[in-house]
Amino acid sequence: MSEQQLQRIQFVTTYYDWLQGLRFVPFGLVQLGFAAWLALPRPEGVDVKARMGAAMLVMLGGMLLATALYALVGAYYRRRFGVVRRSATTHQRMQKALMGSTVVGLVVGLVTAWLRKATDFTEPPLTGFLLLSGLAMVWYWDWSGRVARHYLGVAAGFVLLGVLQAVDASPVYALLRTLPFTSDSHGAAVTLTGSWGAAVVIMGLLDHRLLARTLGHEPEPEPDSAPEEVPE
């Protein structure tokens, strides 16, 4: 077994709970749905606060449904791959990272709500948030052992979107202006919410793929191993 395979097995068993990616996909889909709602133009004569309140209730319902699916999909992982017990040190380390991520998530949520109300929002802060999101993904890749390379791909997506936003070439704004049923009046909030929703979905699917390939199949043959000689 190669060193790369050993690192991947160690990574998967250490972060087994977090790599059950299908459990997180519904949360990303809820975020994408909220971003799609933000992209719709506001109907005339509709109370803004009532409309936002209804949308928040629907989003809360979606999050509760996603939480229920999280538990159901967890049972699927236990049946297929079993249970991996992690050490107390690893547990504490993951709890600290989870708390930090929660704080960042709350900040992003508050910023998103502020962007939703600010029609005169300027582009540089949004660019900064996208670049910061990319750096956060690079940090997570480094913190978790530099094994899951798809984290770098997600980070590159954030950075690319931030650069395009900085030069006024955002594909999100272009799409919102092209579609007949959307508006770019809240394009910043759509960009931030939608990009994170897409990131959660992509990472969830690729995390699941990594977990299934590592624990669901026989180890791959050594690349440098010589084939066995067949006696004549």
Side-chain angles (χ1 to χ4, degrees):
M1 183 177 293
S2 66
E3 182 179 353
Q4 183 179 5
Q5 290 171 332
L6 289 174
Q7 289 178 347
R8 190 170 66 179
I9 292 174
Q10 183 181 13
F11 171 74
V12 167
T13 53
T14 300
Y15 302 104
Y16 176 67
D17 292 342
W18 287 6
L19 291 174
Q20 298 175 19
L22 297 183
R23 304 178 77 177
F24 299 96
V25 169
F27 293 99
L29 294 177
V30 171
Q31 281 190 280
L32 287 174
F34 188 62
W37 179 84
L38 290 172
L40 297 176
R42 186 176 63 193
E44 296 182 2
V46 176
D47 183 58
V48 177
K49 292 184 179 180
R51 183 169 180 261
M52 176 60 74
M56 295 303 294
L57 286 176
V58 172
M59 185 177 181
L60 177 60
M63 285 297 181
L64 291 176
L65 177 60
T67 302
L69 292 174
Y70 181 91
L72 291 176
V73 178
Y76 153 77
Y77 278 103
R78 287 191 296 273
R79 288 194 305 269
R80 180 174 179 184
F81 302 107
V83 178
V84 176
R85 299 184 182 276
R86 56 176 180 259
S87 65
T89 302
T90 300
H91 180 75
Q92 293 177 359
R93 188 166 178 259
M94 293 177 69
Q95 287 299 318
K96 290 180 181 179
L98 183 60
M99 290 178 61
S101 301
T102 301
V103 172
V104 173
L106 290 174
V107 172
V108 171
L110 292 174
V111 171
T112 302
W114 178 69
L115 292 177
R116 173 66 179 83
K117 297 180 180 179
T119 56
D120 58 346
F121 184 73
T122 56
E123 302 302 327
L126 176 58
T127 299
F129 280 120
L130 292 171
L131 296 178
L132 183 61
S133 298
L135 290 176
M137 292 306 307
V138 173
W139 170 83
Y140 183 61
W141 167 78
D142 179 73
W143 177 85
S144 60
R146 302 185 179 187
V147 175
R149 288 176 294 181
H150 57 271
Y151 296 165
L152 294 180
V154 174
F158 275 118
V159 172
L160 177 61
L161 193 58
V163 172
L164 292 175
Q165 185 75 28
V167 298
D168 198 21
S170 170
V172 177
Y173 276 81
L175 182 63
L176 295 177
R177 293 164 184 163
T178 302
L179 296 176
F181 50 84
T182 58
S183 169
D184 66 344
S185 58
H186 301 292
V190 174
T191 301
L192 191 58
T193 307
S195 60
W196 268 104
V200 171
V201 171
I202 293 171
M203 290 179 61
L205 294 176
L206 293 179
D207 280 348
H208 171 78
R209 180 174 178 266
L210 175 62
L211 179 65
R213 290 182 62 186
T214 304
L215 300 182
H217 301 283
E218 294 295 329
E220 299 175 2
E222 291 284 350
D224 298 331
S225 60
E228 296 182 1
E229 295 184 0
V230 180
E232 296 181 359

